[in-house]
Amino acid sequence: MDSFSSPSSGSSSSQFSTEDFMDQLKTQLAQAYAEEFLETVRGKCFEKCITKPGSSLSGSESSCISRCVERYIEATGIISRAMFSASR
Amino acid sequence: MDASSLNSAELQRLISQEKERAMVNEMVAKLTSACWDKCITGTPGSKFSSSESTCLANCAQRYMDMSIIIMKRFQSMQ
């Protein structure tokens, strides 16, 4: 990967430190998680809100989509709380 | 990448930490998807009804109970 071959730490050090490596790893992982989450939300909300695709997106469809996105984010929070705090 | 510049013990620790985080993330995503399908049957409203949010929380906890049962069942087969 290109970003790994050129350290971002500047010209002072040509060595690629563990810290730099982990920073890049974390950034890329966060990006991957976000992309995957987005893809899931697209799938779920398309299923719920675009039941009969028309010639254009209706107002009720687009408000359904924004509600759906909010609810899906909320659901993710409910699930992770249920998994970690309320379990035995 | 120059591998010798990486402190391998520290790197291993950080990587296994990230691995664990990735597993947790995946679990939350998977459960959210499954429980959303089970609990949110109508069009999403501007607020979850109390039955919807209770269903989501129960769904996650029952999934974990189930996982434990399945794990025990498989362990007893050995």
Side-chain angles (χ1 to χ4, degrees), chain B residues 4-39:
Chain B
S4 64
S5 67
L6 300 173
N7 177 337
S8 86
E10 190 191 359
L11 191 63
Q12 284 306 317
R13 191 184 59 78
L14 289 167
I15 284 176
S16 62
Q17 194 180 309
E18 284 304 315
K19 225 186 216 172
E20 202 171 301
R21 205 191 302 261
M23 270 173 61
V24 168
N25 248 312
E26 203 185 310
M27 186 76 178
V28 172
K30 202 200 230 171
L31 273 184
T32 305
S33 169
C35 296
W36 172 270
D37 291 345
K38 275 207 198 294
C39 299

Side-chain angles (χ1 to χ4, degrees), chain A residues 10-61:
Chain A
S11 52
S12 58
S13 149
S14 60
Q15 294 265 300
F16 193 58
S17 73
T18 305
E19 212 172 294
D20 291 335
F21 176 74
M22 287 312 293
D23 279 350
Q24 295 208 0
L25 184 62
K26 279 180 184 168
T27 309
Q28 297 204 351
L29 278 173
Q31 251 168 42
Y33 293 144
E35 266 163 43
E36 204 183 309
F37 186 74
L38 234 77
E39 178 50 32
T40 308
V41 172
R42 274 198 291 267
K44 297 293 180 189
C45 296
F46 188 77
E47 209 176 288
K48 285 265 184 245
C49 298
I50 322 289
T51 47
K52 265 186 164 187
S55 56
S56 69
L57 204 63
S58 73
S60 66
E61 283 169 336

Side-chain angles (χ1 to χ4, degrees), chain B residues 62-76:
Chain B
R62 294 301 79 73
Y63 191 95
M64 311 254 281
D65 290 347
M66 182 197 70
S67 308
I68 293 168
I69 291 173
I70 291 174
M71 220 189 312
K72 281 183 181 155
R73 189 73 192 79
F74 273 82
Q75 276 166 354
S76 69

